Amino acid sequence: MTTISTGRMISHPFGNANEGQVCWRPAKSIWAGVMMAVALVFGPLTFSWSGFTLFVITTAITICAGHSVGMHRLLIHRSFRTSKLVERVLVYLGTLVGMAGPFGMIYAYDIRDWAQRQTICHDLYAHRRSFFVDAWWQMHCAVALKHPPAFVIEPEVANDGFYRFLERTWMAQQLPWMLLFYLLGGWGWVVWGTAVRISVSLTGHWLIGHFAHRGGHQGWAVDNVAVQGYNIPKAAVVTFGESFHGNHHAFPGSARLGLERGQIDLGWNFIQLLMWLGIASAVKLPENMMPREGLRRL
């Protein structure tokens, strides 16, 4: 197979994105399983409109400002620039989503992107398996490749003391907020502001990944790669633009994901707000980027 290096993932001559074994990851699995169990059992028992409102607000902030803008578009793809303080705040909010620390998120995105750019890749990276198998694999397992690429994070990020701290303590970062929620609203706020929020975020992230790699609207195709991306317009609002994954495959470094007329991208709108405030600059968009190799308009 052709080996392709993508940024932090550096292929070697025997690099292979297909040969590997799916392995259970206990810490990842227990974390996701406990959050889901608490949400399913205690969510209905502790429901209140104030708790539900807390869930909606905290989910919107952590997914939009944190995950979509801070982790994905800024830290992982460097689609715009901002001050180190603002960057750290956004990445911190992304850590509160409960998926991983900053280094773990970079690795998860980059290894999948590297694998999908090959001519053939493992079924896990392509979301090819059935609905429930893919759910188990994505939220409870990982692929141990026989010949993985080297993973090198740029020193500016790898040596950042705050990011190193977040990486070591990303699960524990929920604790101060759980205490605050308990003091303000009791156990119901803890359940809805933490367990329900995290379980919905984790499940939603997997669902978008599952369906956005299997079919849907596609404005562009990329030739000679193992996996195509597709857009899911109906999920645009609740994913803050992340469901336009076909557009993202076409222009991975773009700060704007909703590229077609009528495509709602609230993450991009948040970046526009940062630009208006003078906080964001050097914004990457399709018109000022080099098109990726093999890109073809449909």
Side-chain angles (χ1 to χ4, degrees), residues 245-267:
H245 202 66
N247 296 347
H248 182 55
H249 272 232
F251 304 98
S254 175
R256 183 177 183 179
L257 303 183
L259 302 177
E260 310 271 9
R261 182 184 297 274
Q263 292 183 340
I264 301 173
D265 183 357
L266 298 180

Side-chain angles (χ1 to χ4, degrees), residues 75-89:
L75 185 66
I76 294 171
H77 290 290
R78 292 297 177 189
S79 62
F80 66 95
R81 293 179 185 173
T82 187
S83 69
K84 179 58 71 172
L85 175 60
V86 172
E87 177 183 315
R88 286 172 173 167
V89 170

Side-chain angles (χ1 to χ4, degrees), residues 2-295:
T2 302
T3 58
I4 302 173
S5 297
T6 56
R8 305 177 187 97
M9 293 292 171
I10 304 172
S11 298
H12 53 77
F14 301 102
N16 190 298
N18 188 48
E19 296 180 9
Q21 182 177 2
V22 177
C23 301
W24 180 56
R25 291 291 183 259
K28 174 182 179 180
S29 181
I30 292 170
W31 171 258
V34 168
M35 289 297 165
M36 180 64 72
V38 171
L40 291 176
V41 174
F42 295 103
L45 296 176
T46 61
F47 176 82
S48 68
W49 286 111
S50 64
F52 180 76
T53 301
L54 177 69
F55 157 74
V56 172
I57 293 174
T58 54
T59 301
I61 292 173
T62 55
I63 291 293
C64 181
H67 178 78
S68 179
V69 174
M71 283 285 196
H72 190 201
R73 307 190 204 197
L74 177 57
L75 185 66
I76 294 171
H77 290 290
R78 292 297 177 189
S79 62
F80 66 95
R81 293 179 185 173
T82 187
S83 69
K84 179 58 71 172
L85 175 60
V86 172
E87 177 183 315
R88 286 172 173 167
V89 170
L90 295 175
V91 171
Y92 169 72
L93 291 174
T95 300
L96 291 180
V97 172
M99 292 183 191
F103 301 160
M105 288 301 301
I106 291 173
Y107 178 82
Y109 270 87
D110 281 15
I111 189 68
R112 186 179 71 171
D113 183 54
W114 171 82
Q116 291 178 351
R117 286 172 180 250
Q118 310 302 313
T119 54
I120 185 173
C121 74
H122 194 281
D123 284 352
L124 182 145
Y125 295 126
H127 296 268
R128 289 194 190 98
R129 292 300 182 94
S130 64
F131 186 83
F132 291 108
V133 171
D134 192 53
W136 172 254
W137 277 10
Q138 302 296 334
M139 292 194 285
H140 299 271
C141 304
V143 177
L145 292 173
K146 290 183 179 179
H147 304 287
F151 176 54
V152 181
I153 300 178
E154 58 272 27
E156 178 186 357
V157 174
N159 298 328
D160 188 293
F162 182 65
Y163 292 156
R164 293 169 74 91
F165 169 70
L166 288 182
E167 186 64 25
R168 293 193 305 268
T169 64
W170 66 271
M171 292 184 186
Q173 293 303 318
Q174 306 295 335
L175 295 176
W177 294 98
M178 292 171 68
L179 177 60
L180 178 63
F181 295 157
Y182 177 76
L183 293 175
L184 294 178
W187 286 111
W189 274 34
V190 174
V191 171
W192 281 84
T194 307
V196 176
R197 172 180 58 81
I198 291 175
S199 61
V200 168
S201 297
L202 294 180
T203 304
H205 184 263
W206 160 67
L207 282 170
I208 293 302
H210 180 80
F211 288 110
H213 291 102
R214 297 173 71 90
H217 171 265
Q218 192 178 24
W220 289 268
V222 183
D223 294 332
N224 302 315
V225 296
V227 182
Q228 299 291 327
Y230 301 89
N231 299 321
I232 310 175
K234 292 182 179 179
V237 174
V238 295
T239 63
F240 302 93
E242 292 291 318
S243 66
F244 294 118
H245 202 66
N247 296 347
H248 182 55
H249 272 232
F251 304 98
S254 175
R256 183 177 183 179
L257 303 183
L259 302 177
E260 310 271 9
R261 182 184 297 274
Q263 292 183 340
I264 301 173
D265 183 357
L266 298 180
W268 166 242
N269 296 146
F270 180 72
I271 295 174
Q272 288 180 302
L273 174 62
L274 298 182
M275 294 166 61
W276 181 76
L277 293 172
I279 296 174
S281 62
V283 178
K284 296 179 182 178
L285 295 169
E287 53 264 33
N288 60 29
M289 296 167 53
M290 288 290 293
R292 62 177 292 183
E293 185 178 352
L295 183 63

